[in-house]
Amino acid sequence: MSQDFESNLQDADKLLARFRNDTLPHFVNGMHDAGLSQDTFETIAPADNSIIGRVASGSVEDVGRACEVAEAAFEEWKNVPGKERKRLLHKVADAIIARARDIALVESIDSGQAIRFMTKAAVRGAANFQYFADMAPNARDGLSLPADEHLNYTIRQPIGPVGVITPWNTPFMLSTWKIAPALAAGCTVVHKPAAWSPYTGMMLAEIAHEAGLPDGVLNCVHGSGAVTGKTLTEHPAIKAVAFVGETTTGSQIMHQGAETLKRFHFELGGKNPVIVFEDADMDRALDAVVFMIFSLNGERCTSSSRLIIQESIQDEFNAKLIERIGKLKVGHPLDPVTEIGPLVHQNHFDKVCSYFDIAAKEGATIAAGGKAAQIDGKGNYVEPTFLINASSGMTIARQEIFGPVLTAIPFKDEADAIAIANDTDYGLAGYVWTNDIGRGHRMAHSLDAGMIWVNSENNRHLPSPFGGMKSSGIGRDGGDYSFDFYMETKNVCIAMGSHRVPQLGKA
Ligand code: NAD
């Protein structure tokens, strides 16, 4: 065991002692809140399936109270000047940076994600706060739209208290991606983290409070989707719901919020293609293909889980891939050398492993992996898996597996590649590898996905729009797109005093 691994284990143990000894409460109105309900649930460490601790489970009344608190806090927060919101959100970012290692350690233990990625995710969480802090002073900006005898101009106002519901794959980063723009816009937030990974969402609420965010502006309530999440999406005080999670859950949430006419932003599942043409830079394409399915345990919405590979190079490319997959390091999430950690939960592990039998039954070939990985005889470890000789109709090419499993489908030419890539219910991301610049553009225009990367992996630029088409989502995040969601646009029309006002009842 390396020294770094050992000190990660020791430091994580110290941080987790708090969660082992006390039930994790909610965070409402600037303080810990045990909740009215006595219900709790346990959380599990994916590395060995031991219990980390117990967590308060938010009842209908608990969620209702958090929503009312957010509603009351909104009356003041919406009027806090943009410059002051900027100052406060930068303080939150600074506090995140100061606690980045703690966040990464807790996140790795709680979610099973390798520490090498969680360290970066915590820092990226701070970057989200910095970016939207800087945008806060201009969040209200609108357009000047002069007409002949009137001046129209638009302003934006925060929509109100919002619900933020996040999944377990990279909980801290995803929470900041939603919460930072909401706060910068002037909204207050009730956040419900995923029940399988509740800790870092709570840490964010505590950190923000310690950094000076006023009471009630960011609240965190734990619990199940069925009760806690559902109540949040139905509560009349909540004006919009930003949700990241599965497609079917998004659909349920839309039903739940219909009665109170919620605005929704959905970031849902994906089955993203990476298309490699014979003229691509093979080495760079190989690096990107390996990274985009095996980083973050393959539990990544933008993972390129379908390799669409030109027939002429498939033997060579697949052979190189198999060699690289054989060298991937599966191991404990806190070991700095680990590239693939354990899957988040036994249920998810069972789901991912079920696809190995399905692949074999449907006639695909398991070229690498295809079984559980034995690490200390414990934990939800899966061997990185490569399925070849697949076709678009197979379950493994259609369903989001959300694990370290890559499915390869060969194609003949550009038209064939587009047809295969678009033969999916999803439309989140698409990756194209070619050295033909015209083809790169043609592919980008033809692929049915919200985000296309040509000759690149998932490189993010915070002002750029992030989001999916088809069953992968509704709406875009990033830059000003985020403010369009968290704010209402109001038009103001002012007459020059010269136009003729219609006169009725005068004749
Ligand atoms: P999930 O849909 O099961 O749960 C997500 C969150 O929704 C959790 O907090 C859960 O408790 C809550 N929830 C569940 N049912 C609810 C209900 N009826 N009402 C309100 N809330 C409810 O998703 P998951 O398994 O936690 O996460 C994995 C999924 O997230 C994958 O499909 C993945 O692709 C998707 N994801 C998408 C993006 C993106 O940007 N498009 C990013 C990350 C993850």
Side-chain angles (χ1 to χ4, degrees):
M1 185 181 290
S2 71
Q3 223 176 357
D4 284 348
F5 183 15
E6 206 170 326
S7 63
N8 282 348
L9 282 171
Q10 281 168 3
D11 293 347
D13 202 52
K14 281 183 213 147
L15 287 162
L16 294 171
R18 167 191 165 198
F19 304 131
R20 268 198 298 273
N21 297 335
D22 296 312
T23 297
L24 186 77
H26 313 294
F27 195 85
V28 178
N29 210 14
M31 59 189 110
H32 291 128
D33 181 342
L36 296 168
S37 126
Q38 297 303 304
D39 282 354
T40 60
F41 61 94
E42 63 191 21
T43 55
I44 303 287
D48 57 9
N49 287 315
S50 62
I51 296 170
I52 301 176
R54 300 201 71 83
V55 181
S57 188
S59 63
V60 172
E61 293 73 25
D62 294 328
V63 178
R65 203 177 98 68
C67 294
E68 283 158 23
V69 161
E71 190 176 34
F74 177 68
E75 290 311 309
E76 285 192 25
W77 183 244
K78 70 179 180 187
N79 292 322
V80 170
K83 275 189 187 163
E84 174 62 5
R85 288 205 302 276
K86 173 179 173 176
R87 189 188 68 81
L88 282 168
L89 297 186
H90 269 295
K91 284 188 76 184
V92 176
D94 293 345
I96 291 173
I97 290 168
R99 297 283 310 278
R101 182 156 186 273
D102 292 354
I103 293 165
L105 290 170
V106 172
E107 187 102 309
S108 280
I109 286 291
D110 199 17
S111 70
Q113 297 284 10
I115 188 74
R116 65 166 66 211
F117 299 120
M118 290 308 95
T119 305
K120 292 194 184 100
V123 174
R124 163 68 198 283
N128 289 337
F129 266 91
Q130 285 160 344
Y131 176 78
F132 285 107
D134 286 340
M135 289 186 70
N138 301 104
R140 294 195 314 172
D141 287 3
L143 297 171
S144 163
L145 301 163
D148 286 346
E149 292 174 301
H150 291 83
L151 171 64
N152 287 269
Y153 68 91
T154 66
I155 51 169
R156 290 191 297 200
Q157 295 178 338
I159 191 168
V162 298
V164 172
I165 301 179
T166 47
W168 43 258
N169 56 331
T170 46
F172 185 78
M173 198 291 287
L174 281 173
S175 306
T176 61
W177 179 232
K178 299 289 170 185
I179 291 170
L183 299 179
C187 298
T188 53
V189 174
V190 179
H191 175 209
K192 193 204 89 63
W196 285 353
S197 61
Y199 293 114
T200 53
M202 181 68 172
M203 287 172 83
L204 176 62
E206 290 170 348
I207 287 170
H209 174 69
E210 284 159 21
L213 201 70
D215 294 351
V217 170
L218 172 58
N219 308 280
C220 180
V221 184
H222 306 284
S224 68
V227 176
T228 317
K230 181 169 182 286
T231 308
L232 182 56
T233 59
E234 289 175 343
H235 199 283
I238 297 295
K239 301 303 172 209
V241 173
F243 168 74
V244 186
E246 279 192 22
T247 298
T248 49
T249 315
S251 172
Q252 276 173 21
I253 288 178
M254 196 174 243
H255 280 285
Q256 292 163 194
E259 183 96 357
T260 47
L261 284 177
K262 296 274 187 290
R263 182 184 289 182
F264 293 111
H265 188 161
F266 288 156
E267 286 183 16
L268 310 174
K271 191 76 184 176
N272 310 296
V274 52
I275 302 162
V276 183
F277 285 93
E278 59 191 3
D279 63 6
D281 180 327
M282 280 311 135
D283 292 337
R284 288 172 72 81
L286 189 69
D287 285 343
V289 168
V290 172
F291 179 75
M292 280 311 302
I293 184 65
F294 298 116
S295 59
L296 299 179
N297 300 346
E299 296 164 326
R300 177 185 201 138
C301 56
T302 50
S303 75
S304 54
S305 50
R306 285 186 300 149
L307 167 64
I308 302 180
I309 178 86
Q310 195 147 23
E311 274 176 359
S312 50
I313 53 163
Q314 68 166 333
D315 289 348
E316 185 192 344
F317 196 81
N318 289 353
K320 284 185 178 166
L321 251 173
I322 292 166
E323 195 188 328
R324 285 285 287 276
I325 290 169
K327 291 182 187 158
L328 286 169
K329 292 186 180 61
V330 183
H332 193 283
L334 291 186
D335 188 341
V337 300
T338 291
E339 292 171 314
I340 302 181
L343 300 184
V344 65
H345 194 275
Q346 267 174 320
N347 293 358
H348 186 57
F349 167 86
D350 290 342
K351 179 192 147 182
V352 170
C353 291
S354 74
Y355 286 98
F356 304 147
D357 280 346
I358 293 173
K361 274 192 199 124
E362 288 186 336
T365 307
I366 298 176
K371 55 183 192 302
Q374 296 308 320
I375 309 287
D376 299 337
K378 299 182 262 191
N380 311 321
Y381 295 94
V382 172
E383 286 189 359
T385 297
F386 186 32
L387 308 172
I388 59 173
N389 298 326
S391 60
S392 251
M394 291 182 182
T395 311
I396 51 167
R398 305 205 73 78
Q399 294 184 1
E400 184 187 43
I401 299 175
F402 220 56
V405 182
L406 177 64
T407 301
I409 306 169
F411 72 90
K412 285 191 182 58
D413 54 21
E414 205 174 302
D416 196 23
I418 293 166
I420 295 169
N422 287 343
D423 185 11
T424 172
D425 294 335
Y426 294 107
L428 186 59
Y431 306 86
V432 180
W433 286 87
T434 175
N435 272 334
D436 177 337
I437 189 167
R439 172 185 278 157
H441 286 292
R442 288 195 299 277
M443 293 298 294
H445 288 235
S446 301
L447 293 177
D448 297 336
M451 296 171 287
I452 308 292
W453 279 272
V454 179
N455 295 334
S456 187
E457 74 287 4
N458 175 4
N459 261 289
R460 289 285 297 122
H461 178 50
L462 298 185
S464 306
F466 184 100
M469 292 163 52
K470 295 158 77 177
S471 295
S472 287
I474 299 175
R476 296 291 178 271
D477 269 329
D480 211 48
Y481 297 92
S482 296
F483 288 158
D484 271 344
F485 177 71
Y486 292 111
M487 302 184 87
E488 294 281 19
T489 296
K490 184 187 276 183
N491 189 66
V492 181
C493 178
I494 299 185
M496 307 285 188
S498 56
H499 77 288
R500 188 178 166 276
V501 179
Q503 298 176 331
L504 300 182
K506 256 194 147 186

